Amino acid sequence: MKVFKSILIAAAASSIASPVLAETEVVWWDFFAGGDGVRMKALIDQFNEEHPDITINGTTSEWGVPFYTKVRTAAAVGQGPDVVTYHLSRLPRALSEGVLTPITDSDLETAGLSRGDFFERASKAASDEEGTLYAVPFDIHSVVLYYNKSYLEGTEYLDDDGKLTGIESLDDFNNALKVAQDNGAQPPLSYQTGGPGGVWRMFYTLLSQQGGAFIENGEVLPGDNFDKAVQAIEIMQGWGDNGYQPENAEYEASVALFTSGKSAFQVNGVWEVPTMIDMEKAGTLGFEWGAVQVPTLLDEEAVWADSHAFAIPIQGDEKMSEEKREAVMTVIGWMEKQAIDWARAGHIPAYTPVAESDEFRQMEPNATYSSLVDIAAYDPRSSIAGVASPVYDAALNNIAPAIHGFLSPEQAAEQMKSELQSLRD
């Protein structure tokens, strides 16, 4: 009996000395669907398995305006998430709305991170004008140039190793399109010509390659930036006049033109890399392909880009507890260090220790176009710019009609400027 009592006392003492670890719930909202969603769900599940003291409670909502409206409304009344995924192109709008909290060096230290761990352009896009950090970049994603090797075999545009070569100017690219067209590509170039995203990304890449600025000091297309915008639209219109690009192609149709083997080139986001890889593995692609950084067609190296990032919304009038904030930063730090799994969706990790690792350097085609981190052209720093913004709407309303011949490039640029001028910061 005495022995039994001793065991009970010892067990009780042990329980007091080693209490059960309290579990902290982190409410997580993201906008990832499709392949991205599958990868993120796997990362969340892995985190939860490895961290018995922290549980991510994840919810995925509709991408674009619905997501950002939901975050803004919920955060303002103190019923929002603890952490959200965010496009860095939307950061200026978030700052104007006061919806995000600053992320301090102490926060980063809790996560096992530092400001110097991230590519400079991504870090700048994640900060306000004074350099205060408001989000932690997770990736850099951009448009790239996909190519179908079958249309280029035996031409000067494919080297002995089957790599795209010889496109160093607009004339070079136009000649390559003509060669592909003569070899049966119909149309030789595919991108989303009937939707805001594809039209804006192509236009902004061509504008940026001229050293142009879409919004400068709060003004839309001031000075010679207007002429540069006209030139960008003229180039796109010329592709239409020559039958090089599809008419009014929505996103899915633009992808199908390339994956079905009808188009020789596709300008689209890195997020379509898994589509290509999966079709190739399944034996349903029907051709050899590659993907490279969008060539420099004009004066400067530049390509439209954005980043997915992690941000901490305000909690109404309440302040997040230190325990919760530590848990949130632990989640963010862990995700950054697992970014190689996210890179398999075609993205480039913004966290340099992963981006510079041997594993990523051997990942194709990501490693081939990873040089774009140094020329990434983020959307204008303005509350009217960024994904699913008035700028995207203006591209659809004005540039799309122009590239199909319904407006002159000058008319399109003027109408776009007028449409956005009243909304500018």
Side-chain angles (χ1 to χ4, degrees):
M1 187 65 177
K2 289 181 178 180
V3 173
F4 180 67
K5 286 182 178 180
S6 297
I7 293 173
L8 288 178
I9 292 170
S14 175
S15 176
I16 294 171
S18 302
V20 176
L21 198 61
E23 182 179 300
T24 301
E25 181 186 66
V26 171
V27 178
W28 162 298
W29 288 4
D30 69 41
F31 42 69
F32 296 123
D36 277 357
V38 171
R39 286 172 175 82
M40 184 53 73
K41 179 66 165 58
L43 284 169
I44 290 173
D45 288 345
Q46 183 181 345
F47 178 91
N48 286 340
E49 289 175 6
E50 295 180 9
H51 297 78
D53 56 329
I54 303 173
T55 297
I56 300 174
N57 182 355
T59 299
T60 299
S61 300
E62 184 180 353
W63 182 94
V65 173
F67 177 81
Y68 289 109
T69 300
K70 180 180 177 182
V71 170
R72 182 179 67 248
T73 303
V77 298
Q79 296 180 2
D82 301 313
V83 61
V84 293
T85 55
Y86 228 82
H87 287 92
L88 290 187
S89 63
R90 293 278 304 202
L91 188 70
R93 191 178 186 95
L95 296 180
S96 70
E97 296 167 344
V99 73
L100 302 181
T101 64
I103 294 175
T104 66
D105 289 343
S106 178
D107 287 330
L108 292 175
E109 186 176 351
T110 298
L113 307 171
S114 71
R115 288 288 290 263
D117 287 336
F118 299 92
F119 286 110
E120 182 179 354
R121 294 193 179 217
S123 182
K124 182 178 180 180
S127 308
D128 67 9
E129 296 288 357
E130 287 71 45
T132 300
L133 194 70
Y134 279 86
V136 182
F138 191 37
D139 64 37
I140 297 176
H141 55 270
S142 75
V143 289
V144 293
L145 181 65
Y146 297 85
Y147 60 98
N148 179 335
K149 298 181 182 182
S150 63
Y151 288 111
L152 304 174
E153 289 177 357
T155 75
E156 61 186 295
Y157 300 109
L158 211 63
D159 66 18
D160 293 339
D161 296 322
K163 304 294 185 182
L164 188 67
T165 188
I167 300 179
E168 299 177 358
S169 68
L170 179 60
D171 285 343
D172 289 338
F173 188 52
N174 286 337
N175 289 337
L177 294 176
K178 183 64 168 63
V179 166
Q181 187 179 58
D182 291 344
N183 286 338
Q186 292 294 333
L189 172 64
S190 182
Y191 67 97
Q192 184 191 21
T193 59
V199 170
W200 169 256
R201 292 163 190 147
M202 181 68 82
F203 164 79
Y204 195 64
T205 295
L206 294 172
L207 177 68
S208 299
Q209 287 196 357
Q210 298 173 71
F214 189 77
I215 298 175
E216 195 168 55
N217 298 322
E219 296 296 316
V220 179
L221 295 176
D224 68 350
N225 290 297
F226 182 87
D227 295 333
K228 292 174 181 177
V230 170
Q231 183 178 349
I233 299 170
E234 284 178 344
I235 292 168
M236 298 166 71
Q237 188 180 74
W239 290 335
D241 292 344
N242 288 305
Y244 291 163
Q245 68 190 18
E247 292 189 13
N248 294 308
E250 290 294 344
Y251 185 84
E252 292 77 8
S254 70
V255 174
L257 281 171
F258 185 72
T259 57
S260 66
K262 294 181 179 179
S263 294
F265 296 97
Q266 175 186 216
V267 173
N268 205 342
V270 298
W271 51 84
E272 288 299 340
V273 164
T275 300
M276 306 302 299
I277 291 174
D278 291 346
M279 291 185 69
E280 187 175 37
K281 287 181 178 178
T284 58
L285 190 57
F287 59 87
E288 292 186 20
W289 67 286
V292 297
Q293 174 185 308
V294 173
T296 303
L297 306 181
L298 300 170
D299 305 321
E300 300 181 11
E301 283 190 296
V303 59
W304 171 90
D306 203 342
S307 289
H308 298 122
F310 302 114
I312 303 175
I314 60 172
Q315 307 291 319
D317 295 328
E318 301 294 323
K319 184 178 180 180
M320 181 180 286
S321 70
E322 291 184 11
E323 178 187 29
K324 177 63 71 69
R325 197 168 184 93
E326 181 177 345
V328 168
M329 293 310 303
T330 298
V331 168
I332 292 173
W334 184 91
M335 289 288 175
E336 294 288 352
K337 292 163 189 175
Q338 310 302 315
I340 194 68
D341 293 326
W342 187 244
R344 293 188 175 92
H347 307 302
I348 302 170
Y351 181 58
T352 56
V354 174
E356 294 171 357
S357 68
D358 290 340
E359 187 172 2
F360 180 74
R361 286 172 173 168
Q362 295 170 11
M363 187 179 290
E364 291 293 348
N366 307 51
T368 295
Y369 55 68
S370 62
S371 56
L372 62 83
V373 300
D374 296 321
I375 62 167
Y378 286 84
D379 283 349
R381 295 182 69 93
S382 170
S383 63
I384 65 171
V387 296
S389 71
V391 162
Y392 275 54
D393 295 336
L396 178 61
N397 295 338
N398 301 288
I399 300 176
I403 66 177
H404 300 305
F406 297 107
L407 291 174
S408 71
E410 291 82 2
Q411 289 173 323
E414 186 58 52
Q415 290 182 191
M416 184 164 54
K417 177 174 180 173
S418 176
E419 183 177 320
L420 294 170
Q421 197 70 26
S422 63
L423 304 176
R424 71 191 189 282
D425 297 328

